Amino acid sequence: MAIGAPAAIPRRAVRQRLDAERALGYVLLGFFGLFLAVFLAWPMAQVLWRSLLDNDGGFIGLANYVRYVRTPAIAASITNSLSVSLVAMVITVGLAFVYAYALTRTRMPGRGAFRVVAMLPIFAPSLVSAIAFVYAFGNNGIVTRQTGVNIGIYGAKGIVLAEVFYCFPHAMLILVAALGAADARLYDAAAALGASRLKIFLTVTLPGVKYGLMSACFVVFTLVITDFGVPKVVGGKFSVMATEIYNQVIGQQNFTMGATVSVVLLIPAGIAVVIDRLVQRRQHALLTGRSVPLVPRRRPLRDTVLFVYCLVVAAAIAGIYLVILASSLVVRWPYNFTLTGKHYRFDTIGGYTPLWNSLEVAALTAVAGTILAFGGAYLVEKCRTVLSGPLYVLSVLPVSIPGMVLGLAYIFTFNAAGSPLNVLYGTLAILVVSNLVHYFTVPFLTATTSLKHMDAEWENVSASLGVPFYRTFWRVTVPIALPTIVAISMYFFLNAMVTLSAAVFLVAPGTELAAVAVLLMDDAGDTAQA
């Protein structure tokens, strides 16, 4: 007994320490689950429930959906949204594929510069793109006045053009990744068998990037059908579901019909995201560790043709932003071209306050979002419990929720009388939270992928040496995953700076954001300041 007693004390201490660490992991996992439940699951349940009530709060079942379908002006928003989304998807993916092919499969000069220029639309709200198209192709646009040709920018045509411009870099990034992952062995085998270049393209290149093409299609379709900024500026009388939600809530104060349209909008967006997830899983399963990178060969004719194509596309993108810059520096476009800086005083929206608010919200979103996304992914991946599966599903759910729907859900949840969460409404905090939820899925999946690439033996060795898991996380996991963490923070920051759809329902006096200020100035006719 005297010999065995001293050994029992360390074992008991180790067991207690492991129990304490396990309890801490469960507590942290519980807080992560509580965040998703309070700020995601509960608000979305509120939208669904509100769509089953009348404006007085009485339960009427599916009556709102019946009225929605039977009201021609409202029901038309469904077919309008689907039509412009499909057309914009086809055009965008077609243009982006050729552009991505030129960047990855040719030796043309300036590929780095072309890629940078193509990324420009990501750094501004879609609303800005729409305003630029008005200045370029509107009734008094520079192209209209110079050529005498009015293409009719307001309506379906304008929505498609502006959405193609806005979604182009999103599709290009996906296709660049797909085309850049080609296996050179397949091309060498096809060439050895005497296949022509056209046949190699049709039988090797296209099948090799088919999942990338499908993913690009679904991403563009989702972006267009859920976008609010472009239809708001150039839609005119052409109603889509995103603007219909805005009109029902802001214009008519009809919150129940706004909730009904929101639920309907969730259906195509959700289907597109689910299919995209399935496509991406299939694509990952086709990757092998024996692939040989494809190095493009120099072909003067092909490289020259694609260089001219990229030059035209890049010039069009840069030209749109030059139009924005030029129109903001003249007294009154297109009547007085005297240079001035008065529009940068922003005297109609209280100066630069919305910009500072946007910077503060974006910075807080980047910090809090990075901690939440990476920490949540670590807990879900490493602390295997019965909650891991449901929490993973909740974490990937936000990607299928349009911003307009999330903003309306937050009105129902946080603006309710007597709610303990009402203290958040009308503050910058609710804007930060909405950004965290709206853009949570991509950072969460990025962090999960990065963590899966790390050897689990690190945690096992640390545990065997008596090192707490949180110390291993801070000293080993975080340094290794630092590039991923930085990418996640930049993703949150950039999206929070340009977000509009959810924020338009949540801003209050003193918390206006830059993107919402652009919308309000454009509505007031002060387009130069916008």
Side-chain angles (χ1 to χ4, degrees), residues 449-501:
T449 303
S450 177
L451 290 168
K452 285 182 177 179
H453 289 165
M454 298 182 188
D455 196 339
E457 288 300 318
W458 295 334
E459 282 83 8
N460 297 334
V461 172
S462 298
S464 65
L465 294 175
V467 179
F469 79 92
Y470 49 84
R471 189 173 299 171
T472 304
F473 173 79
W474 182 250
R475 293 185 176 181
V476 178
T477 306
V478 170
I480 293 176
L482 191 59
T484 299
I485 293 173
V486 172
I488 288 173
S489 64
M490 292 306 299
Y491 178 87
F492 272 120
F493 182 86
L494 290 174
N495 281 285
M497 279 296 297
V498 302
T499 188
L500 173 65
S501 52

Side-chain angles (χ1 to χ4, degrees), residues 62-83:
L62 301 178
N64 286 323
Y65 295 94
V66 175
R67 184 159 65 92
Y68 176 42
V69 174
R70 291 181 176 177
T71 305
I74 302 178
S77 64
I78 300 177
T79 55
N80 289 345
S81 293
L82 292 174
S83 62

